[in-house]
């Protein structure tokens, strides 16, 4: 298929160089999408239907066989050889069961080693004599070692996951899932499915995946290209909002919490529209020998109507001169003239009209507005009156005056405020679909910023309330969806754990009553209980020894530690001659150890993990609940084994 595309000759089919460039780019994208993945098979399953799908199921009607794979594959004649996993005919591969065989006589799973078929396994779903059994190949695929970035899960999607993946484009879905339940993979595969089912629409409107940090985005960036989807953008929330200013500063926790509070949206709205002043004088428009006078009360009526309509500040400002010009045209028509649209545009550009608009509805620079709110106590007091009390206003005010927008040390929370103010002035472009991962860590104002990017589209929200590690972490998904502007979103919960071993998740779940009471603990479905060990040690040499022990196993190893302890551990590893990577860097055969600050561990996974000093992880956060949540994240990154090393006593909440 790739060779067919590469052999296309477009010299005689393009009318001009522009068409040639566009077509050449499309061909290059198609070639990239058809790239070979040496260790990834073209198909992983087979379905033998009792009857042809969609045909009359009359007695004696012949069935049909389909091979299911990551991509659609056809032969030289265009006949399908492998069916895309997203196609409707592939759905029974994930959903059919002994109770509901969905007209499938046989489901076959293929096992692969480095791209070569090494095993297969059959289920005769419509045969009452065959008992239901757990798939060994499925279990092996789930427990396969993790080396390199995140990979697709198309061969192992479970029925409850498939239901979320194939949900429609029109609705917003929120997936609450504990560690290892596959929520990130489900979200990415949902994007792939939506691009398959609604390709033309999403090609026009665009799709976006939002992750918590660059390391996480690097970790997941190969999943969609492996499924042939190359057009999905990836970004962090900071990437989205830090367009007009450079983020160089940080806030302390109380200020960040307040700046992220949804009440700030009303403070900003008041501040933006406070620039509008009612006219005190009429507008006199001179055209030729005639003068046309629009009285102040009539202009005031126009201004109040624009305010009542609630349209964007900038859009209303652009409409005002046209409304004033229309009032002049009405007078012209009454006097017997017959002005057209060109006359109205000319009147709208009249110096007197432009001067009036500038005085009544002046332009607003969002960054300057936010700067004034954060540095001018009187200006903030006027617009925060009845919203923020005096103490809260002092919390967000900057201690030192700032001369200009460029010299200010803006924080991430400040950039979100500027983004909100920008949207009040000019509508933010909306995409067709947005995936928001690790959503539990967003503030209400950050949710609003993401919601603006899909105001006319839909969203897939992924997260775990127990892993909320910011002081402003969301308290409930209903609240989060309301701030996102999607109050009708459906909340789904994944509770089957495919990644974290039983012994590890059972130990980590001791923290749940303290960090997220009411959440259902994850139940590991893995047959392998995994390797788990608690070790009281005397120094970093034993941490290094634990890493060396785990590196003897196949797969990746992560050393997770409180941020403050990372430099000392890096020095100890170097002294021992053990090379290590930073989060997001790809493992190699020679370097399979990654040193991970606890603050960056979220969303990552390793075959084996050494967790250094749990109490230091807790103490590294501004409050105990956030610290325990950070510890919960760190404890649940292992796929096959976990060693916990500590010199200080373990947190009391882990006592069993």
């Amino acid at each position: 298929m790739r060779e067919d595309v590469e052999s296309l000759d477009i010299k005689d089919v393009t009318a001009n160089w522009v068409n040639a460039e566009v077509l050449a780019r499309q061909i290059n994208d198609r070639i990239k999408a058809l790239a070979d993945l040496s260790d990834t098979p073209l198909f992983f399953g087979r379905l033998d239907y009792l009857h042809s799908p969609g045909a009359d199921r009359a007695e004696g009607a012949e069935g049909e066989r389909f091979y299911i794979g990551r991509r659609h594959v056809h032969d030289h004649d265009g006949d399908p050889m492998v069916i895309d996993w997203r196609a409707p005919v592939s759905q029974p591969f994930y959903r059919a069961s002994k109770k509901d065989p969905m007209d499938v006589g046989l489901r076959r799973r293929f096992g692969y080693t480095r791209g070569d078929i090494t095993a297969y396994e059959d289920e005769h779903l419509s045969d009452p004599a065959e008992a239901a059994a757990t798939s060994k190949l499925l279990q092996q695929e789930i427990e396969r070692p993790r080396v390199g970035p995140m990979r697709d899960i198309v061969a192992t999607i479970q029925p409850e996951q498939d239901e979320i993946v194939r949900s429609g484009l029109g609705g917003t879905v929120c997936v609450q899932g504990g560690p290892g339940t596959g929520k990130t993979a489900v979200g990415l595969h949902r994007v792939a499915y939506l691009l398959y089912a609604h390709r033309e629409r999403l090609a026009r409107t665009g799709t976006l995946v939002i992750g918590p940090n660059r390391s996480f985005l690097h970790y997941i960036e190969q999943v969609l290209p492996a499924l042939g989807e190359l057009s999905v953008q990836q970004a962090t929330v900071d990437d989205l909002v830090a367009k007009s200013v450079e983020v160089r500063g940080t806030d302390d926790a109380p200020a960040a919490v307040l700046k992220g509070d949804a009440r700030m949206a009303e403070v900003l709205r008041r501040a933006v529209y406070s620039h509008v002043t009612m006219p005190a004088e009429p507008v006199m428009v001179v055209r030729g020998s005639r003068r046309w006078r629009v009285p102040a009360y009539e202009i005031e009526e126009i201004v109040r109507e624009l305010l009542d309509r609630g349209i964007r500040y900038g859009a209303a400002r652009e409409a005002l001169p046209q409304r004033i010009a229309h009032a002049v045209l009405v007078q012209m028509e009454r006097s017997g003239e017959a002005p057209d649209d060109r006359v109205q545009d000319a009147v709208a550009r009249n110096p007197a009209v432009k001067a009036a608009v500038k005085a009544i509805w002046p332009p607003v620079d969002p960054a300057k507005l936010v700067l004034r709110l954060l540095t001018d106590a009187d200006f903030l007091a006027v617009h925060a009156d009845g919203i923020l009390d005096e103490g809260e206003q002092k919390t967000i005010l900057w201690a030192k005056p700032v001369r200009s927008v460029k010299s200010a040390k803006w924080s991430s929370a400040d950039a979100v405020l500027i983004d909100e103010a920008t949207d009040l002035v000019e509508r933010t472009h909306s995409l067709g679909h947005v995936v928001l991962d690790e959503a539990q860590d967003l503030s209400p104002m950050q949710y609003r910023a993401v919601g603006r990017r899909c105001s006319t589209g839909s969203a897939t929200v992924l997260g775990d309330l127990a892993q909320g590690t910011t002081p402003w972490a969301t308290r409930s998904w209903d609240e989060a969806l309301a701030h996102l502007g999607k109050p009708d979103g459906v909340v789904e919960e994944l509770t089957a754990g495919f990644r974290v071993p039983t012994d590890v998740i059972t130990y980590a779940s001791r923290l749940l009553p303290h960090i997220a009471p009411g959440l259902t603990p994850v139940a590991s479905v893995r047959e392998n209980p995994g390797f788990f060990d608690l070790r009281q040690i005397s120094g970093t040499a034993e941490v290094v020894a634990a890493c060396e022990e785990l590196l003897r196993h196949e797969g990746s190893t992560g050393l997770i530690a409180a941020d403050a302890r990372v430099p000392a551990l890096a020095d100890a590893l170097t002294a021992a001659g053990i090379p290590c990577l930073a989060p997001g860097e790809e493992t190699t055969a020679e370097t399979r150890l990654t040193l991970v600050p606890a603050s960056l561990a979220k969303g990552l996974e390793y075959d084996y993990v050494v967790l250094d000093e749990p109490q230091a992880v807790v103490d590294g956060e501004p409050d105990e609940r956030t610290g325990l949540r950070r510890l919960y994240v760190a404890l649940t990154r292992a796929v096959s084994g976990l060693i916990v090393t500590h010199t200080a006593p373990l947190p009391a909440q882990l006592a069993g």
Side-chain angles (χ1 to χ4, degrees):
M1 289 169 65
R2 189 179 66 254
E3 287 170 355
D4 286 345
V5 179
E6 289 172 339
S7 66
L8 290 174
D9 185 353
I10 62 172
K11 291 179 200 168
D12 300 324
V13 297
T14 54
N16 53 54
W17 69 271
V18 175
N19 288 344
E21 285 289 325
V22 171
L23 190 54
R25 181 172 295 181
Q26 291 174 342
I27 289 173
N28 285 333
D29 287 345
R30 178 66 172 160
I31 291 169
K32 287 178 185 175
L34 290 171
D36 276 329
L37 301 174
S38 59
D39 60 346
T40 302
L42 287 175
F43 62 92
F44 50 80
R46 188 183 107 188
L47 289 177
D48 290 3
Y49 278 87
L50 297 176
H51 309 87
S52 292
D56 182 13
R57 296 187 181 182
E59 191 171 338
E62 290 188 12
E64 202 166 348
R65 174 177 295 171
F66 299 95
Y67 286 88
I68 312 301
R70 288 165 176 76
R71 305 289 308 281
H72 168 83
V73 182
H74 61 248
D75 61 18
H76 287 290
D77 297 322
D79 294 325
M81 299 176 67
V82 178
I83 305 299
D84 194 301
W85 66 276
R86 297 168 286 189
V89 76
S90 303
Q91 189 170 336
F93 186 79
Y94 303 107
R95 302 255 188 117
S97 64
K98 294 292 289 186
K99 290 183 179 178
D100 181 14
M102 300 176 73
D103 199 45
V104 173
L106 179 141
R107 172 169 57 199
R108 174 170 289 178
R109 299 180 192 275
F110 294 95
Y112 288 85
T113 302
R114 297 182 181 87
D116 296 327
I117 296 179
T118 52
Y120 69 88
E121 184 181 76
D122 289 346
E123 297 172 86
H124 297 88
L125 297 174
S126 298
D127 182 358
E130 184 178 290
T134 302
S135 168
K136 297 292 184 184
L137 286 180
L138 186 65
Q139 200 70 36
Q140 289 170 11
E141 176 65 20
I142 289 171
E143 297 181 5
R144 188 154 57 94
R146 264 72 170 162
V147 177
M150 185 179 184
R151 59 176 182 259
D152 67 77
I153 60 163
V154 290
T156 62
I157 294 173
Q158 298 300 290
E160 65 272 18
Q161 296 174 324
D162 188 65
E163 191 172 338
I164 296 170
V165 166
R166 295 177 194 266
S167 53
L169 177 61
T172 288
V173 178
C174 175
V175 182
Q176 158 63 41
T181 54
K183 56 185 178 295
T184 297
V186 165
L188 294 174
H189 287 67
R190 175 159 152 76
V191 172
Y193 172 77
L194 292 175
L195 285 166
Y196 174 88
H198 308 276
R199 189 165 302 281
E200 288 189 10
R201 179 174 170 184
L202 289 177
R204 293 193 309 270
T205 55
T207 50
L208 172 68
V209 173
I210 301 174
N213 52 57
R214 282 271 136 215
S215 297
F216 178 83
L217 291 177
H218 182 70
Y219 177 63
I220 67 169
E221 67 183 357
Q222 294 304 316
V223 174
L224 289 168
L227 300 175
E229 302 300 344
L230 306 174
S231 61
V232 181
Q233 298 175 309
Q234 294 186 352
T236 65
V237 173
D238 287 348
D239 292 335
L240 296 179
V241 301
K243 300 289 187 184
S244 57
V245 296
E246 182 184 357
V247 174
R248 297 184 294 140
T250 55
D251 289 309
D252 58 24
V257 170
L258 271 173
K259 289 177 181 179
D261 194 304
R263 292 177 295 165
M264 289 300 297
E266 176 59 20
V267 175
L268 288 164
R269 192 197 66 78
R270 287 184 184 180
V272 167
Y273 284 92
S274 70
H275 291 77
V276 178
T277 56
M278 293 303 164
E281 298 177 351
V283 173
M284 189 71 69
V285 177
V286 178
R287 283 185 60 81
S289 60
R290 302 292 300 271
R291 291 172 177 247
W292 308 97
R293 181 178 178 274
V294 184
Y297 75 84
E298 190 171 343
I299 300 174
E300 183 174 337
E301 287 176 0
I302 294 171
V303 171
R304 291 195 183 281
E305 182 196 353
L306 289 171
L307 288 171
D308 291 343
R309 286 182 60 190
I311 59 178
R312 296 294 194 281
Y313 184 93
R317 186 174 186 275
E318 291 176 2
L320 181 57
Q322 290 289 337
R323 296 294 182 86
I324 296 173
H326 178 73
V328 172
L329 260 65
V330 170
Q331 293 184 33
M332 289 180 175
E333 289 169 349
R334 285 174 183 164
S335 69
E337 294 190 21
D340 56 18
D341 290 345
R342 289 174 297 176
V343 175
Q344 180 167 327
D345 289 340
V347 173
R349 295 194 300 269
N350 183 278
V353 174
K354 290 169 73 173
V357 169
K358 187 175 181 180
I360 297 167
W361 211 294
V364 170
D365 182 303
K368 288 181 179 178
L369 176 86
V370 173
L371 183 64
R372 188 178 176 192
L373 277 172
L374 297 176
T375 56
D376 186 335
D378 293 337
F379 187 67
L380 177 62
V382 169
H383 302 299
D385 183 41
I387 301 175
L388 303 178
D389 62 35
E390 190 175 335
E392 290 174 322
Q393 292 175 34
K394 286 182 179 177
T395 299
I396 64 172
L397 278 169
W398 290 355
K400 297 179 181 178
V402 178
R403 286 185 296 177
S404 68
V405 168
K406 285 190 175 181
S407 64
K409 288 189 176 180
W410 298 102
S411 68
S412 295
D414 297 333
V416 176
L417 296 180
I418 294 171
D419 190 72
E420 178 85 24
T422 301
D423 185 69
L424 288 166
V425 175
E426 183 179 353
R427 182 182 294 277
T428 304
H429 173 67
S430 176
L431 299 165
H433 193 77
V434 170
V435 175
L436 175 60
D437 206 352
E438 300 295 349
Q440 72 280 346
D441 277 342
L442 267 61
S443 70
M445 291 297 285
Q446 286 176 317
Y447 277 118
R448 291 174 62 89
V450 174
R452 287 191 281 277
R453 271 76 186 176
C454 57
S455 58
T456 59
S458 55
T460 300
V461 180
L462 312 165
D464 179 12
L465 296 177
Q467 296 185 61
T469 51
T470 55
W472 50 84
T474 191
R475 291 170 291 190
S476 76
W477 291 123
D478 288 342
E479 185 180 308
L481 289 169
H483 292 312
L484 194 68
K486 308 291 182 184
D488 298 329
V490 177
V491 180
E492 303 281 359
E493 188 170 10
L494 296 175
T495 58
F498 303 98
R499 173 171 55 78
V500 186
T502 302
D503 291 355
V504 174
I505 195 63
T506 301
Y507 183 72
S509 293
R510 294 179 181 182
L511 296 173
L512 281 180
H514 308 281
I515 60 177
L519 272 192
T520 305
V522 172
S524 178
V525 298
R526 298 176 56 138
E527 293 183 350
N528 180 0
F531 169 72
F532 175 60
D533 196 13
L534 285 172
R535 298 180 184 177
Q536 186 157 10
I537 61 172
S538 57
T540 55
E542 290 167 84
V543 179
V544 172
C547 292
E548 290 176 321
E549 177 184 335
L550 294 182
L551 284 168
R552 297 188 192 107
H553 298 279
E554 182 185 1
S556 58
T557 298
L559 170 55
I560 303 177
D563 292 30
R565 287 184 52 78
V566 167
L569 290 170
D571 291 342
L573 290 170
T574 301
I578 301 175
C580 64
L581 304 165
E585 293 181 345
E586 193 167 333
T587 54
T588 65
E590 296 76 27
T591 308
R592 294 183 291 113
L593 176 67
T594 304
L595 178 55
V596 188
S599 62
L600 296 180
K602 190 171 297 178
L604 304 179
E605 59 183 29
Y606 302 94
D607 285 294
Y608 295 91
V609 168
V610 176
L611 174 58
D612 169 71
E613 215 61 73
Q615 189 61 54
V617 173
V618 177
D619 294 342
E621 300 299 327
D623 60 86
E624 185 179 62
R625 190 188 74 159
T626 304
L628 290 172
R629 286 181 167 184
R630 184 75 73 192
L631 177 59
Y632 180 73
V633 170
L635 282 167
T636 54
R637 299 305 95 200
V639 175
S640 298
L642 170 67
I643 297 175
V644 177
T645 59
H646 64 102
T647 53
L650 293 169
Q653 294 83 352
L654 284 175

